[in-house]
Amino acid sequence: MRRGRRTFTTVVAGALALSACSPAETANVRPATAPTAAPKERATPATTPQGPPGVLPRRNEVRPITRAGDLPPVISSIPTKRKVVFLTIDDGWEQDPGFVRQVRDQRIPITAFAMRDAVEAKGTPDESGGPARYVGAGKWGYFRRLRDAGVPVENHTLTHPNLRLLAYDAQRSEICGSSKVIKKELGSGPTLFRPPFGNYNTDTLRAAKSCGMDAVLLWTATVQPGGKIAYQVPDKRLRPGDILLLHFRPNLARDFRILVGKIKRRGYELGNLQAYLAAATRPR
């Protein structure tokens, strides 16, 4: 393990999921409107969290996974039989302060994959959840608040291209460039990478490795507007170890509340992704 940074070493544990964050999904959004300033959050007393948010793996709960070859592994689920799922969120367009409050006050475990242009409100926002209200409202300051709430901020490229269409050097520029921005703005660099649209090839894995990425993280289900879960398995249900993908869309706080309630009603817990990755790679 490299000293001074989070490191997770895993094997390929899932097939590519292609439905979320698709070109079709972003093609019909309306042009960006002027960002609405986020309302000021009420001051809250400083507290010291008691450990990381989310449930942690039990002893010998997670099946061991080992590295295959020298490229970062591609992971879409965590190998556990416990009824636990993992929440991840991509891009950074809609910077809803209510979402930060939920994550912070309820100590909900979630991992963010930031895309520079979305965070900085460059280009056309994702308004598939409705009219945007908070596009770029806090920019990197918003992600600093997420970081302070215990949210790891990982790599989702600079401009959200289809990496399969880019040569190695262009892919490396997107991934390494994103890591540099995140480290500059948040103080520490990412170690997980999520390719836009879920599209990647061998050059992507080579570029990710050269930029310090330990794993490429995909997903097993997506969360649509209204908190609806779009499953990618025939039986259309949650499974232990599922990784769910959300986006920073309009009505995020409302949809997130619906989603968390739905997961808990189905008897699932929300897991700490980083702790589970570490448990899966710990020497036995």
Side-chain angles (χ1 to χ4, degrees):
M1 178 178 291
R2 290 189 293 268
R3 183 170 299 173
R5 60 195 301 274
R6 292 169 287 126
T7 303
F8 307 110
T9 308
T10 48
V11 295
V12 175
L16 174 64
L18 293 174
S19 68
C21 200
S22 64
E25 187 176 66
T26 57
N28 297 320
V29 297
R30 295 191 296 276
T33 56
T36 302
K40 293 183 179 179
E41 296 188 39
R42 290 176 295 177
T44 56
T47 59
T48 301
Q50 300 301 308
V55 299
L56 303 178
R58 303 181 180 113
R59 181 180 178 86
N60 297 325
E61 172 198 335
V62 185
R63 295 191 299 277
I65 48 183
T66 55
R67 196 182 191 94
D70 62 352
L71 294 177
V74 181
I75 305 164
S76 60
S77 64
I78 301 298
T80 178
K81 293 182 179 179
R82 183 178 180 181
K83 292 184 71 174
V84 58
V85 297
F86 306 90
L87 302 180
T88 64
I89 184 166
D90 283 9
D91 298 336
W93 291 110
E94 187 73 351
Q95 299 177 5
D96 188 337
F99 174 67
V100 178
R101 287 195 292 269
Q102 289 179 61
V103 169
R104 180 192 64 212
D105 297 347
Q106 300 176 35
R107 290 184 51 73
I108 299 174
I110 192 161
T111 299
F113 288 84
M115 189 265 284
R116 182 202 61 188
D117 281 10
V119 176
E120 298 179 3
K122 299 176 181 177
T124 304
D126 180 349
E127 291 187 304
S128 55
R133 295 181 60 196
Y134 303 112
V135 172
K139 295 189 168 57
W140 287 105
Y142 183 81
F143 277 79
R144 284 189 281 274
R145 291 194 291 276
L146 283 172
R147 174 203 62 194
D148 294 344
V151 177
V153 179
E154 305 290 354
N155 190 319
H156 195 42
T157 72
L158 294 170
T159 67
H160 208 271
N162 182 346
L163 294 175
R164 288 181 180 174
L165 303 180
L166 301 183
Y168 170 80
D169 288 344
Q171 293 198 45
R172 189 175 185 280
S173 177
E174 283 281 343
I175 301 170
C176 288
S178 176
S179 288
K180 290 177 181 177
V181 170
I182 292 171
K183 184 173 183 179
K184 174 186 175 183
E185 297 290 346
L186 304 183
S188 62
T191 59
L192 299 177
F193 174 64
R194 173 164 281 160
F197 317 114
N199 289 345
Y200 70 95
N201 55 24
T202 301
D203 280 345
T204 310
L205 302 182
R206 291 175 52 228
K209 178 184 177 182
S210 75
C211 297
M213 301 298 100
D214 296 318
V216 172
L217 204 75
L218 300 181
W219 56 89
T220 48
T222 64
V223 180
Q224 304 302 319
K228 180 181 178 180
I229 301 174
Y231 302 98
Q232 297 173 2
V233 291
D235 53 4
K236 304 299 181 184
R237 63 181 178 86
L238 288 176
R239 296 183 177 186
D242 275 353
I243 296 173
L244 277 62
L245 167 61
L246 301 87
H247 289 86
F248 286 93
R249 292 173 173 145
N251 297 306
L252 174 60
R254 179 203 66 189
D255 291 354
F256 191 66
R257 183 171 58 252
I258 293 171
L259 172 69
V260 171
K262 183 181 299 185
I263 290 170
K264 292 182 177 180
R265 285 194 302 272
R266 294 180 185 180
Y268 279 82
E269 298 177 285
L270 300 173
N272 183 289
L273 178 61
Q274 285 67 27
Y276 269 80
L277 286 171
T281 60
R282 185 178 299 128
R284 305 288 168 160

